[in-house]
C-alpha cells in the first residue's frame, strides 16, 4: 500500500512539474546558484548509490524538491534526480518504487519532446538510463522477452550513437553494456547461463564473442566513476567466466575473467574507493568458478598463465579482506561462499542476500555438506528484507533446495513451498517460452533484413553495371556515329573529288575545243593566235588551281588584308579579249578585302574571262562597294552586255555535276567553263576561313547580258564613301 501511495505522489508531482514547465520562463533566466545546488545534491546521490543507497535517495529527493520548488525548468536536474532515486530503490530491491520513478522520467522525457532542444540537452540520454533500469527490473522478474525487446529498441533508437561525449553519456553507455552482458550471459542464453554443460553452437559463440569485443573496444573511451568501472569489469568477468564454462574450460577466457576481477580488487584497495558491494561480487565470482563443474580444477590450479592471474587476484583481495584461504585447501569453495555471503548481508540489497544464500546452499548440497546448507537456508528464511516476486529465479532455487534436503518436517511448509515452486517454475517457463519466440521472430526478421540488404546490394550493383554498360554503349555509339559521319564525309569528299575530276576533264574538253578550232584556222592572224594560246594556257592554269584547292594537302589558304584595287589592276592586265569590239572597264576602288589575295585574283580573273568569252559586243564592267545590307562585306559585281542565260542555265551554273549549254549565243563555246566551278569553290574557302557570309550568285536574262555578284569579307572600310563616278556611270 505504501508503494502505491508513493507512486501516486510521484505522478502528482510530475503533473505539477509539467504544468509549471508550460508557464515557466525560458532557460536563459536560470538561477545558476540553484542549479549548482541541485547538481551538488545529484552528484552526492550518484557517488553513494552503491555505498549507501538510503543516503543516495535522500540527496536525490533534496535535488528533486529544490527543482520542483525553485527551478522547474531545469529538466536535466529533475531527470537526473528521478534516475538516482530509481537506482537507489533498485539496490534496495524495492522494485515498485523504482518503477514509479522510471515512469516519471519517461513521462517527463515525453513532455519535453515538443520543447526546444536547448531545454532538453540530456533528456534522451536520461530516458535511455531509465529504460536500462527498467530492463534490469524485468530481468530480475525473469521477464526476459520484454527485457530484450526494450534493449533492442534502445539499440535501434541510436540515441547512444549520437550522444555528447560527457560523463552522463559514458554512464549510459556503460549501463547499456552491463545490461546487455547480464542479459546474454546470465539470464537469457541457457547454454551460457546454466552449468549443464550444454555445448555452444558456432553461431551462439560468435554472437557472444562479438558482444564482448564490442564492449572492450568501446570501454577505453568511456570514463564515468570508479563504481561504474567496477560494475562493467564485473559484468565482463562474469561473461568471460560463463563463456569459458561453456567452452570446455578455455584457460584464455578464464584468465580474462581473473584479469577484470583483479582490476576491481586494485580499485578497491584505495580506501576512498572501497565498497563492500563490489568486494562481495569479486569474492562470490571466485566462489562460482570454484563451484562450477564445467570448469576443470586443473585449469586454474596447475601452473600456467591462468594460475598466475588467479594468484595476483588472491594477493590483492587478501590485502583488502584477508580470508586465509588458498586453492590447495579443500575448504576453498566453502570459505569463498561464506565470505561473499557475509559481505552481501552487510549491504542493504535483499536481492543479493537471497542470491548469495541460495548459491552457497546449492554448492553445499552438491558437496553433501547438509549442515552448512541448512545454515544458509536458515539465513534466507530469517531474512525479513526479501519478499515475494522480488527474485523469482532465486526464490525458485530456494524452495527447490528446501524441498530436496528435507529442511522441514511440517507437511504444511512442504506443501506451501511446493505450490510456490510450481508457480514460480510456471512463470519462468512462460517467460522463457516468450523469449524463445521473440528470438525466433527477431532471427527471422534479421534474416529477412539480411536478405533485403543482399537484394538491395545486388540490385545496386546490377544497376551500377547496367548504368555503366549504358554509358559505355552510348559512348561507343557516339564514337561509331562520329566515325560513320567521318566516313560519310570522306566518302562525299571522294565522290566530290571524282566528280571534280570528271567535271575537270569534261569542262576542259569543252573549254579547250574552241581554242583548238581557232588554232587550226588558217585565217587567224599571228596576233590573235598568240592571244588564243595565252587563253589556252590560262585554262590549264585554272585546272591546276582547282586541283590544288580540291586536295586537302594542296594550296593553303592564307588570310591577309589587301587593297581590292591592286587586284583589279592585276586582273585587268592579264585578261585577254578575243573580240576587240568589247570594252573591259575596272572602276577604281578604295575598299580593302580580308582573304587570300592569290585566290581572289583567280576568282576575279575567271569571272572577267567568262564575261569576255560570252560577250561579242558592248562592255564588261567590274566595280565594288560596301554591301548595303551588311557593311562588313564588300560587294563585287562583274557585269557584261553578252547574250545572257536562260533560267535552266542560270540554275545549274555553279554545279559540278551538271553540264550546261547556252543556246542564246550560237557563236559562244558550249558550257559555262570550268572557271565558274572554281569560283564557287574559292568563295566557299573564303566563307570557311573568314567572316561567315561570303557567297557568289548570278543574275541574267536572255539577250540582256549577265551580272555576277560576290560577297567577300571587308577590312578597315569604316571611313569609305561611295565614289562619285558610281552614280554617274550606273545611270548611263
Amino acid at each position: 500500500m505504501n508503494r502505491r501511495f508513493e507512486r501516486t505522489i510521484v505522478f502528482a508531482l510530475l503533473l505539477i512539474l509539467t504544468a509549471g514547465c508550460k508557464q515557466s520562463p525560458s532557460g536563459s533566466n536560470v538561477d545558476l546558484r540553484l542549479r549548482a545546488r541541485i547538481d551538488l545534491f545529484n552528484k552526492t546521490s550518484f557517488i553513494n548509490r552503491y555505498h549507501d543507497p538510503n543516503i543516495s535517495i535522500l540527496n536525490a529527493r533534496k535535488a528533486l524538491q529544490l527543482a520542483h520548488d525553485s527551478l522547474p525548468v531545469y529538466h536535466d536536474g529533475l531527470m537526473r534526480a528521478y534516475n538516482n532515486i530509481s537506482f537507489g530503490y533498485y539496490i534496495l530491491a524495492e522494485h515498485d518504487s523504482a518503477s514509479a520513478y522510471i515512469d516519471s522520467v519517461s513521462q517527463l522525457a515525453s513532455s519535453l519532446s515538443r520543447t526546444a532542444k536547448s531545454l532538453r540537452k540530456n533528456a534522451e540520454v536520461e530516458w535511455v538510463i531509465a529504460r536500462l533500469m527498467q530492463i534490469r527490473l524485468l530481468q530480475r522478474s525473469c521477464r526476459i522477452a520484454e527485457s530484450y525487446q526494450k534493449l533492442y529498441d534502445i539499440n535501434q533508437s541510436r540515441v547512444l550513437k549520437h550522444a555528447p561525449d560527457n560523463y552522463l553519456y559514458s554512464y549510459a553507455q556503460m549501463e547499456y553494456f552491463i545490461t546487455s552482458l547480464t542479459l546474454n550471459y546470465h539470464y537469457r542464453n541457457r547454454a551460457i547461463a546454466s552449468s549443464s554443460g550444454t555445448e555452444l553452437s558456432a553461431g551462439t559463440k560468435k554472437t557472444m564473442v562479438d558482444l564482448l569485443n564490442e564492449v572492450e573496444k568501446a570501454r577505453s573511451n568511456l570514463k564515468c566513476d570508479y563504481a561504474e568501472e567496477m560494475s562493467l569489469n564485473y559484468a565482463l568477468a562474469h561473461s568471460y567466466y560463463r563463456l569459458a564454462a561453456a567452452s570446455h574450460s578455455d584457460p584464455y577466457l578464464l584468465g580474462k575473467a581473473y584479469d577484470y576481477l583483479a582490476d576491481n580488487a586494485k580499485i578497491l584497495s584505495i580506501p576512498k574507493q572501497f565498497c563492500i558491494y563490489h568486494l562481495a561480487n569479486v569474492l562470490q565470482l571466485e566462489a562460482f568458478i570454484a563451484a562450477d563443474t564445467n570448469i576443470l580444477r586443473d585449469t586454474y590450479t596447475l601452473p600456467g598463465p591462468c594460475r598466475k592471474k588467479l594468484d595476483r587476484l588472491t594477493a590483492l583481495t587478501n590485502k583488502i579482506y584477508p580470508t586465509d584461504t588458498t586453492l590447495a585447501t579443500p575448504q576453498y569453495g566453502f570459505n569463498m561462499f561464506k565470505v561473499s555471503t557475509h559481505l552481501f548481508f552487510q549491504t542493504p540489497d535483499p536481492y543479493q542476500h537471497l542470491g548469495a544464500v541460495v548459491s552457497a546452499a546449492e554448492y553445499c548440497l552438491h558437496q553433501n555438506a547438509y549442515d552448512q546448507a541448512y545454515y544458509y537456508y536458515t539465513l534466507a528464511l530469517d531474512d525479513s528484507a526479501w519478499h515475494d516476486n522480488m527474485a523469482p529465479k532465486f526464490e525458485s532455487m530456494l524452495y527447490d533446495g528446501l524441498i530436496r534436503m528435507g529442511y522441514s518436517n511440517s507437511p504444511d511448509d512442504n506443501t506451501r513451498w511446493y505450490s510456490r515452486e510450481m508457480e514460480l517454475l510456471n512463470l519462468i517457463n512462460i517467460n522463457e517460452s516468450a523469449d524463445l519466440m521473440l528470438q525466433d521472430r527477431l532471427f527471422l526478421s534479421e534474416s529477412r533484413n539480411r536478405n533485403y540488404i543482399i537484394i538491395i546490394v545486388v540490385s545496386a550493383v546490377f544497376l551500377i553495371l547496367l548504368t555503366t554498360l549504358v554509358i559505355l554503349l552510348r559512348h561507343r555509339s557516339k564514337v561509331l556515329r562520329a566515325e560513320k559521319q567521318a566516313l560519310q564525309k570522306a566518302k562525299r569528299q571522294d565522290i566530290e573529288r571524282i566528280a571534280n575530276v570528271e567535271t575537270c576533264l569534261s569542262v576542259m574538253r569543252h573549254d579547250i575545243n574552241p581554242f583548238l578550232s581557232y588554232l587550226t584556222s588558217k585565217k587567224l592572224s599571228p596576233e590573235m593566235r598568240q592571244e588564243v594560246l595565252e587563253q589556252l594556257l590560262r585554262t590549264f592554269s585554272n585546272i591546276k588551281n582547282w586541283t590544288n584547292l580540291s586536295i586537302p594537302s594542296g594550296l593553303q589558304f592564307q588570310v591577309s588584308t589587301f587593297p581590292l584595287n591592286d587586284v583589279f589592276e592585276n586582273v585587268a592586265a592579264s585578261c585577254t579579249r578575243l573580240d576587240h569590239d568589247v570594252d573591259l572597264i575596272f572602276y577604281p576602288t578604295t575598299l580593302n578585302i580580308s582573304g587570300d589575295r592569290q585566290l581572289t585574283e583567280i576568282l576575279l580573273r575567271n569571272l572577267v574571262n567568262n564575261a569576255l568569252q560570252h560577250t561579242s559586243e558592248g562592255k564588261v564592267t567590274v566595280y565594288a562597294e560596301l554591301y548595303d545590307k551588311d557593311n562588313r562585306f564588300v560587294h563585287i559585281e562583274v557585269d557584261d552586255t553578252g547574250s545572257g542565260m536562260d533560267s535552266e542555265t542560270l540554275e545549274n551554273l555553279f554545279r559540278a555535276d551538271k553540264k550546261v549549254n547556252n543556246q542564246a549565243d550560237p557563236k559562244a563555246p558550249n558550257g559555262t567553263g570550268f572557271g565558274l566551278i572554281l569560283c564557287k569553290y574559292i568563295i566557299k574557302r573564303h566563307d570557311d576561313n573568314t567572316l561567315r557570309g561570303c557567297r557568289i550568285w548570278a543574275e541574267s536574262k536572255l539577250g540582256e547580258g549577265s551580272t555576277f555578284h560576290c560577297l567577300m569579307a571587308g577590312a578597315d572600310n569604316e571611313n569609305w564613301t561611295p565614289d562619285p563616278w558610281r552614280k554617274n556611270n550606273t545611270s548611263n
Side-chain angles (χ1 to χ4, degrees):
M1 181 64 69
N2 291 335
R3 295 190 186 94
R4 291 181 180 176
F5 178 74
E6 186 173 2
R7 178 179 287 189
T8 303
I9 294 298
V10 170
F11 283 139
L13 289 173
L14 181 60
L15 291 174
I16 295 172
L17 172 64
T18 305
C21 290
K22 295 180 180 179
Q23 301 173 1
S24 62
S26 65
S28 59
N29 299 322
V30 170
D31 188 326
L32 296 180
R33 288 180 299 174
L34 285 174
R35 178 171 174 171
R37 289 185 62 194
I38 294 170
D39 289 343
L40 180 60
F41 284 132
N42 276 327
K43 182 178 180 180
T44 304
S45 173
F46 187 76
I47 291 173
N48 286 280
R49 66 190 185 282
Y50 286 107
H51 293 280
D52 193 333
N54 288 304
I55 292 179
S56 176
I57 293 172
L58 179 62
N59 280 274
R61 286 186 181 279
K62 291 180 180 179
L64 189 63
Q65 188 63 45
L66 183 59
H68 281 165
D69 295 343
S70 306
L71 204 60
V73 294
Y74 187 27
H75 308 122
D76 291 349
L78 286 166
M79 298 180 77
R80 184 88 295 272
Y82 282 136
N83 275 326
N84 281 336
I85 295 173
S86 65
F87 193 92
Y89 281 126
Y90 166 78
I91 293 296
L92 295 175
E94 296 184 20
H95 297 167
D96 289 342
S97 297
S99 295
Y101 286 96
I102 289 170
D103 292 341
S104 299
V105 175
S106 298
Q107 296 214 19
L108 180 56
S110 178
S111 67
L112 291 176
S113 62
R114 296 179 296 275
T115 63
K117 191 171 183 179
S118 59
L119 297 179
R120 51 185 178 90
K121 178 180 178 182
N122 296 316
E124 290 182 333
V125 181
E126 292 286 5
W127 171 82
V128 168
I129 292 171
R131 294 298 291 269
L132 290 170
M133 182 55 57
Q134 187 179 37
I135 292 170
R136 287 201 185 188
L137 297 178
L138 292 171
Q139 289 175 357
R140 285 187 171 187
S141 300
C142 294
R143 295 159 65 181
I144 307 304
E146 295 177 62
S147 175
Y148 188 82
Q149 183 65 62
K150 291 184 181 297
L151 191 66
Y152 180 82
D153 292 341
I154 290 174
N155 186 51
Q156 293 299 307
S157 71
R158 304 185 68 82
V159 171
L160 297 180
K161 303 294 183 182
H162 305 96
D165 187 12
N166 54 32
Y167 96 94
L168 187 64
Y169 161 73
S170 293
Y171 174 56
Q173 186 69 71
M174 294 170 86
E175 282 292 301
Y176 173 81
F177 287 144
I178 292 169
T179 307
S180 299
L181 291 170
T182 304
L183 175 63
N184 286 281
Y185 281 93
H186 183 70
Y187 289 105
R188 191 164 193 231
N189 190 282
R190 288 186 175 185
I192 293 292
S194 69
S195 300
S196 61
T198 304
E199 187 172 352
L200 285 179
S201 66
T204 301
K205 185 172 182 179
K206 182 180 184 304
T207 301
M208 299 303 172
V209 172
D210 287 346
L211 175 58
L212 286 168
N213 290 337
E214 179 188 358
V215 177
E216 293 213 20
K217 182 179 179 180
R219 77 183 305 273
S220 60
N221 298 320
L222 301 175
K223 303 297 181 184
C224 183
D225 71 337
Y226 64 89
E228 197 64 23
E229 186 174 351
M230 284 193 290
S231 296
L232 184 55
N233 285 343
Y234 176 77
L236 285 165
H238 190 274
S239 300
Y240 275 114
Y241 146 61
R242 291 292 191 182
L243 191 58
S247 302
H248 306 291
S249 301
D250 188 329
Y252 169 77
L253 297 173
L254 192 60
K256 291 283 289 184
Y258 285 137
D259 281 338
Y260 283 113
L261 290 178
D263 289 344
N264 276 6
K266 189 174 182 180
I267 295 173
L268 290 168
S269 64
I270 301 173
K272 291 185 178 180
Q273 297 178 354
F274 176 77
C275 179
I276 292 178
Y277 184 92
H278 290 291
L279 177 60
N281 273 330
V282 171
L283 298 178
Q284 187 186 56
L285 188 53
E286 287 189 66
F288 281 150
I289 296 172
D292 198 323
T293 57
N294 291 311
I295 300 292
L296 300 177
R297 190 174 178 82
D298 292 345
T299 306
Y300 56 86
T301 56
L302 293 179
C306 191
R307 173 59 187 269
K308 290 181 180 179
K309 293 180 178 182
L310 179 56
D311 287 343
R312 173 173 172 262
L313 170 61
T314 303
L316 288 170
T317 54
N318 279 332
K319 288 182 180 179
I320 304 169
Y321 192 89
T323 59
D324 295 327
T325 302
T326 62
L327 290 172
T329 63
Q331 295 296 318
Y332 175 77
F334 291 105
N335 289 340
M336 296 306 293
F337 273 117
K338 181 179 179 180
V339 171
S340 61
T341 302
H342 173 69
L343 290 173
F344 272 124
F345 267 81
Q346 294 183 41
T347 70
D349 188 349
Y351 177 87
Q352 297 294 348
H353 297 178
L354 185 59
V357 165
V358 296
S359 299
E362 184 70 20
Y363 177 73
C364 293
L365 287 179
H366 186 267
Q367 299 294 328
N368 297 321
Y370 294 104
D371 290 341
Q372 294 187 52
Y374 186 90
Y375 164 75
Y376 288 117
Y377 286 133
T378 301
L379 284 178
L381 293 174
D382 292 343
D383 185 8
S384 59
W386 74 271
H387 51 82
D388 291 348
N389 300 320
M390 180 187 71
K393 180 180 177 181
F394 292 150
E395 191 179 352
S396 173
M397 292 172 63
L398 171 64
Y399 294 131
D400 177 66
L402 291 172
I403 294 169
R404 281 190 292 121
M405 76 166 294
Y407 181 89
S408 175
N409 293 323
S410 170
D412 292 337
D413 287 341
N414 288 311
T415 300
R416 179 166 49 84
W417 292 340
Y418 182 79
S419 298
R420 182 58 177 166
E421 171 70 0
M422 292 299 100
E423 181 183 346
L424 292 169
L425 289 176
N426 184 56
L427 173 66
I428 293 171
N429 288 333
I430 291 173
N431 283 286
E432 287 182 346
S433 298
D435 182 47
L436 289 174
M437 292 175 63
L438 175 64
Q439 290 189 60
D440 291 339
R441 187 168 67 252
L442 292 177
F443 176 77
L444 291 174
S445 176
E446 291 174 358
S447 298
R448 284 195 298 270
N449 290 339
R450 283 194 297 268
N451 292 335
Y452 291 150
I453 292 173
I454 292 172
I455 292 172
I456 291 172
V457 170
V458 171
S459 300
V461 172
F462 175 75
L463 288 175
I464 291 172
L465 292 176
L466 184 61
T467 304
T468 304
L469 182 61
V470 170
I471 292 173
L472 291 175
L473 288 175
R474 291 184 63 183
H475 176 71
R476 182 58 181 166
S477 176
K478 186 177 180 181
V479 171
L480 290 175
R481 188 162 53 251
E483 292 177 352
K484 181 179 179 181
Q485 291 174 351
L487 289 173
Q488 290 175 344
K489 182 179 179 181
K491 184 178 180 181
R492 286 194 301 270
Q493 291 175 347
D494 290 341
I495 293 173
E496 184 178 353
R497 290 190 185 97
I498 294 171
N500 289 340
V501 172
E502 291 179 351
T503 303
C504 176
L505 294 175
S506 176
V507 173
M508 182 173 64
R509 178 172 56 83
H510 284 281
D511 286 359
I512 290 175
N513 281 338
F515 300 116
L516 293 177
S517 299
Y518 282 121
L519 292 175
T520 57
S521 175
K522 296 180 180 180
K523 298 180 179 180
L524 194 64
S525 65
E527 294 80 6
M528 287 299 298
R529 186 181 298 276
Q530 182 62 35
E531 289 185 8
V532 169
L533 287 173
E534 290 178 359
Q535 185 66 29
L536 188 60
L537 290 175
R538 279 193 290 273
T539 300
F540 282 114
S541 178
N542 278 340
I543 295 171
K544 178 183 177 182
N545 290 333
W546 170 260
T547 304
N548 289 335
L549 285 172
S550 61
I551 299 174
S553 60
L555 188 64
Q556 298 297 317
F557 190 91
Q558 297 179 348
V559 178
S560 64
T561 299
F562 54 89
L564 182 58
N565 201 61
D566 292 350
V567 175
F568 281 4
E569 292 177 356
N570 291 338
V571 173
S574 62
C575 288
T576 302
R577 289 173 289 168
L578 297 179
D579 196 332
H580 292 283
D581 294 332
V582 178
D583 294 327
L584 177 60
I585 304 171
F586 282 86
Y587 290 106
T589 181
T590 59
L591 292 170
N592 297 315
I593 294 292
S594 176
D596 188 299
R597 178 167 182 162
Q598 181 181 358
L599 294 180
T600 303
E601 287 188 9
I602 294 172
L603 165 74
L604 199 57
R605 186 182 300 115
N606 277 280
L607 290 175
V608 172
N609 282 331
N610 182 74
L612 290 171
Q613 186 178 351
H614 293 85
T615 303
S616 56
E617 59 182 359
K619 61 181 178 179
V620 174
T621 59
V622 182
Y623 52 85
E625 62 183 351
L626 285 182
Y627 189 41
D628 57 355
K629 296 181 180 180
D630 189 344
N631 59 15
R632 295 176 301 169
F633 294 96
V634 173
H635 183 195
I636 302 173
E637 295 184 22
V638 178
D639 185 68
D640 65 62
T641 58
S643 57
M645 293 174 282
D646 57 24
S647 59
E648 181 182 358
T649 303
L650 189 64
E651 182 180 354
N652 299 320
L653 196 60
F654 297 102
R655 295 181 60 178
D657 59 339
K658 295 289 184 180
K659 297 178 182 179
V660 293
N661 294 315
N662 186 9
Q663 304 298 329
D665 185 5
K667 296 181 180 181
N670 292 332
T672 60
F674 184 68
L676 292 181
I677 300 172
L678 180 60
C679 291
K680 176 73 173 180
Y681 199 81
I682 290 173
I683 288 294
K684 184 178 184 303
R685 291 292 297 271
H686 275 79
D687 190 53
D688 292 340
N689 289 277
T690 61
L691 187 65
R692 294 297 179 117
C694 300
R695 61 191 181 97
I696 184 171
W697 73 96
E699 296 175 348
S700 181
K701 289 184 180 181
L702 282 173
E704 297 183 10
S706 303
T707 302
F708 285 83
H709 303 268
C710 295
L711 285 185
M712 303 189 72
D716 303 328
N717 296 318
E718 293 80 3
N719 298 323
W720 179 84
T721 57
D723 295 316
W725 58 262
R726 177 77 177 97
K727 181 177 180 181
N728 297 330
N729 288 281
T730 55
S731 62
N732 294 331

